[in-house]
């Protein structure tokens, strides 16, 4: 399947690989202190460009990466979510982050369910983790809603090796049971 043909839809959202068209919203998202507090800190526009290009590159090199999260009704970019497993990462992750102003509206849960299904059904992952800072209560609540459990501290590769994160996760079989609550 061509990367340009990959598109997931939920009731309110479109999940698709990121593109250059996402840059302005991506950069604003990465400049927001609250949004980036637990995911590597704020980024300059130049750093945001490189991170967007890294995500686009992940799709081309590995066949997957996080999706851009788009509102169906307006076309507004509101975050990134989905499969992530760069070199040295402690597991096959489904990660998420929603732009300010869109948190607390159920978008992350809706997109996380679609992303978890994609990771299990399309990528055929046997395990899914979520690397979450212990103070990131919103992400912890989302992981719990998805049925993940805290499997303890883990370590990210450089340059994030000093980040304090726990490995929240579940097996393919656990997700196949847990996802029934969302059908």
């Amino acid at each position: 399947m061509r990367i340009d043909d990959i598109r997931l839809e939920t009731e309110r959202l479109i999940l698709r690989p990121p593109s250059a068209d996402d840059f302005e919203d991506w950069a604003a998202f990465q400049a927001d202190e609250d949004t980036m507090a637990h995911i590597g800190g704020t980024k300059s526009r130049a750093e945001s460009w490189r991170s967007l290009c890294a995500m686009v590159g992940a799709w081309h090199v590995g066949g997957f990466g996080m999706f851009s999260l788009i509102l169906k009704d307006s076309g507004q970019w509101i975050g990134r979510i989905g499969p992530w497993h760069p070199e040295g990462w402690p597991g096959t992750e489904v990660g998420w982050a929603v732009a300010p102003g869109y948190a607390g509206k159920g978008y992350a849960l809706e997109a996380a369910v679609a992303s978890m299904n994609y990771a299990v059904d399309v990528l055929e992952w046997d395990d899914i983790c979520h690397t979450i800072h212990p103070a990131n209560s919103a992400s912890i609540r989302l992981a719990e809603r998805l049925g993940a459990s805290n499997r303890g501290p883990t370590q990210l590769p450089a340059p994030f090796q000093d980040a304090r994160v726990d490995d929240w996760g579940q097996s393919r079989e656990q997700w196949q049971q847990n996802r029934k609550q969302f059908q």
Side-chain angles (χ1 to χ4, degrees):
M1 176 181 295
R2 290 176 2 137
I3 290 169
D4 292 340
D5 295 334
I6 297 171
R7 178 183 171 110
L8 307 180
E9 290 195 28
T10 67
E11 182 181 338
R12 302 178 294 166
L13 303 167
I14 296 167
L15 288 74
R16 59 152 174 78
S19 72
D21 293 339
D22 302 332
F23 179 62
E24 290 304 324
D25 292 322
W26 185 285
F29 164 88
Q30 291 203 313
D32 185 79
E33 212 169 294
D34 291 335
T35 300
M36 298 299 291
H38 301 299
I39 54 174
T42 59
K43 306 282 185 268
S44 68
R45 282 182 62 80
E47 290 169 315
S48 291
W49 176 253
R50 287 190 294 275
S51 99
L52 175 64
C53 289
M55 196 62 69
V56 170
W59 277 97
H60 288 278
V61 172
F64 65 89
M66 287 195 189
F67 297 102
S68 278
L69 187 54
I70 311 296
L71 291 178
K72 266 187 184 178
D73 63 356
S74 68
Q76 177 65 45
W77 185 96
I78 65 166
R80 63 179 190 205
I81 191 163
W84 186 236
H85 190 237
E87 176 62 31
W89 213 251
T92 46
E93 178 166 21
V94 168
W96 50 76
V98 176
Y102 299 96
K105 299 178 192 252
Y107 296 129
L109 177 63
E110 192 174 322
V113 168
S115 295
M116 296 280 288
N117 287 336
Y118 187 84
V120 166
D121 299 338
V122 177
L123 300 177
E124 299 181 346
W125 286 358
D126 291 324
D127 188 79
I128 298 172
C129 75
H130 318 290
T131 56
I132 303 174
H133 188 284
N136 190 343
S137 57
S139 280
I140 290 170
R141 282 191 304 276
L142 179 53
E144 290 173 334
R145 292 258 336 256
L146 295 168
S149 59
N150 188 339
R151 302 186 288 199
T154 191
Q155 186 169 14
L156 302 177
F160 308 108
Q161 70 274 9
D162 295 329
R164 197 170 148 222
V165 293
D166 289 333
D167 171 6
W168 286 79
Q170 59 190 295
S171 69
R172 162 198 288 278
E173 292 77 20
Q174 289 169 318
W175 176 246
Q176 288 171 329
Q177 288 302 310
N178 291 331
R179 70 181 171 184
K180 291 177 183 176
Q181 69 180 307
F182 302 109
Q183 295 174 339

